[in-house]
């Protein structure tokens, strides 16, 4: 049994998600793609693949005959637009998987809390930086409480479309909050860097955690196990080098980030994310990890719905 889904947003993220559903999913069936640019490559590609389309946004989607069978709607637009889409779709009983930083629903990072919100009407996929780094914060926190977690996500400027650029503030705020809410850090901070290098570089992420002094072998094992869990749905996700550890001196300014914590250790993890190149270039790992996480979340939601229906 499959669950029919629709996608709002015919840009890079929405189109990549379209291809992933068609190629990879055995439980989801794409019913429609909605956009606002009638000449977008995404809508043209969907039409060639015999997928129903509309260039009239969410209103056009709701008007399509195919919408009647849709159970899950992915939103791959912008934070501002998502608020309107939620207002339109929530009364119609559709489940929303939000790939924008709007964060109207609970945060979901599949290897950390993927089963926690399967019944929620609207879930938020945080950000590309969040999907790449929050699993690592959680892995460190599984060994020792994280007093402070900071991430730096560096992505190719070419892979940052208009939606990403318009939502930079929301990106940092949403990711910072999710580092705390999902990752478990007492305090979180996020930084995004748009790298203009040519040829474009793949996504690189740095995670710094301040923890109480602990067994570094256990932290390394936890991080490596988590990397494997992410690789199960993002094969291009990997450690760039070994996990690094530094003792924080008594007079180090870093101590102001974790007052009263006693002996402190700084854990540094360096990652890179290479995209699967289903639609986007391989350097756009930031977009690939978002669409992969959204696909995995929707598949879990669909499986849960089918299990409940079978009871």
């Amino acid at each position: 049994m499959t669950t029919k889904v629709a996608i709002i947003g015919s840009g890079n993220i929405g189109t990549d998600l379209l291809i992933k559903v068609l190629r990879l999913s055995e439980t989801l069936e794409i019913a429609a793609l909605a956009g606002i640019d009638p000449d977008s490559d995404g809508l043209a590609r969907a039409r060639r693949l015999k997928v129903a389309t509309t260039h009239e946004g969410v209103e056009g989607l709701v008007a399509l005959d195919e919408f009647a069978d849709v159970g899950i709607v992915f939103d791959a637009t912008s934070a501002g637009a998502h608020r309107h889409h939620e207002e339109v779709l929530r009364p119609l009983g559709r489940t929303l998987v939000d790939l924008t930083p709007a964060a109207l629903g609970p945060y979901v990072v599949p290897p950390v809390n993927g089963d926690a919100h399967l019944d929620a009407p609207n879930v938020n996929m945080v950000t590309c930086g969040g999907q790449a780094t929050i699993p690592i914060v959680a892995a460190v926190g599984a060994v020792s409480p994280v007093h402070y977690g900071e991430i730096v996500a560096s992505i190719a400027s070419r892979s940052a479309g208009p939606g990403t650029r318009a939502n930079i503030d929301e990106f940092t705020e949403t990711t910072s909050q999710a580092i705390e809410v999902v990752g478990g850090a007492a305090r979180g901070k996020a930084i995004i860097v748009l790298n203009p290098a040519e040829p474009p570089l793949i996504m690189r992420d740095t995670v710094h955690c301040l923890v109480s002094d602990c067994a570094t072998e256990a932290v390394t094992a936890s991080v490596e196990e988590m990397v494997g869990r992410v690789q199960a749905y993002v094969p291009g996700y990997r450690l760039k080098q070994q996990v690094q550890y530094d003792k924080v001196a008594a007079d180090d300014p870093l101590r102001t980030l974790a007052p009263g914590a006693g002996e402190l250790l700084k854990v540094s993890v360096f990652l890179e994310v290479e995209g699967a190149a289903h639609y986007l270039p391989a350097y756009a790992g930031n977009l690939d990890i978002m669409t992969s996480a959204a696909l995995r979340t929707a598949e879990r939601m669909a499986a849960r719905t089918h299990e409940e229906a079978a009871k």
Side-chain angles (χ1 to χ4, degrees), residues 79-144:
H82 179 69
R83 296 180 181 90
H84 172 62
H85 299 159
E86 205 260 359
E87 291 175 356
V88 173
L89 295 171
R90 176 73 72 87
L92 300 179
R94 280 12 179 225
T95 298
L96 280 80
V97 176
D98 176 22
L99 287 83
T100 82
L104 300 184
Y107 302 123
V108 172
V109 179
V112 182
N113 70 336
D115 294 328
H117 303 290
L118 296 180
D119 296 325
N122 185 340
V123 296
N124 180 257
M125 303 312 300
V126 195
T127 60
C128 59
Q131 289 295 335
T133 61
I134 289 171
I136 301 302
V137 176
V140 175
V143 177
S144 180

Side-chain angles (χ1 to χ4, degrees), residues 5 57 83 116 156 182 195 210 242 250 252 255 259 271 307-308:
V5 302
R83 296 180 181 90
V182 182
N195 191 332
L210 292 181
Q242 292 183 335
D252 194 312
R255 287 194 166 275
L271 306 159
E307 289 170 3
E308 292 296 321

Side-chain angles (χ1 to χ4, degrees), residues 2-221:
T2 59
T3 295
K4 291 195 175 183
V5 302
I7 300 169
I8 307 175
S10 60
N12 286 339
I13 296 178
T15 307
D16 186 69
L17 185 54
L18 168 76
I19 302 301
K20 278 182 167 56
V21 174
L22 289 169
R23 289 188 185 179
L24 304 179
S25 185
E26 297 179 357
T27 57
L28 304 180
E29 179 181 350
I30 187 71
L33 175 68
I36 57 174
D37 178 3
D39 299 320
S40 70
D41 179 68
L43 291 181
R45 189 174 295 256
R47 288 191 291 268
R48 291 197 297 271
L49 294 168
K50 310 302 182 184
V51 174
T53 65
T54 175
H55 65 270
E56 297 179 343
V58 68
E59 286 77 15
L61 173 63
V62 171
L64 290 174
D65 292 339
E66 290 80 2
F67 181 73
D69 298 323
V70 169
I72 298 173
V73 178
F74 296 97
D75 192 338
T77 59
S78 67
H82 179 69
R83 296 180 181 90
H84 172 62
H85 299 159
E86 205 260 359
E87 291 175 356
V88 173
L89 295 171
R90 176 73 72 87
L92 300 179
R94 280 12 179 225
T95 298
L96 280 80
V97 176
D98 176 22
L99 287 83
T100 82
L104 300 184
Y107 302 123
V108 172
V109 179
V112 182
N113 70 336
D115 294 328
H117 303 290
L118 296 180
D119 296 325
N122 185 340
V123 296
N124 180 257
M125 303 312 300
V126 195
T127 60
C128 59
Q131 289 295 335
T133 61
I134 289 171
I136 301 302
V137 176
V140 175
V143 177
S144 180
V146 177
H147 304 294
Y148 175 79
E150 178 177 302
I151 72 97
V152 181
S154 178
I155 66 175
S157 182
R158 277 198 196 179
S159 71
T164 299
R165 295 174 185 275
N167 291 157
I168 294 295
D169 287 346
E170 289 88 347
F171 177 100
T172 55
E173 293 167 4
T174 295
T175 308
S176 297
Q177 292 170 4
I179 289 169
E180 300 171 3
V181 174
V182 182
R187 295 177 59 191
K189 181 178 180 179
I191 300 168
I192 183 172
V193 177
L194 304 185
N195 191 332
E198 291 291 344
L201 300 178
I202 65 174
M203 183 186 197
R204 295 237 169 96
D205 300 282
T206 302
V207 183
H208 296 299
C209 295
L210 292 181
V211 302
S212 297
D213 198 7
C214 59
T216 59
E217 297 86 354
V219 174
T220 296

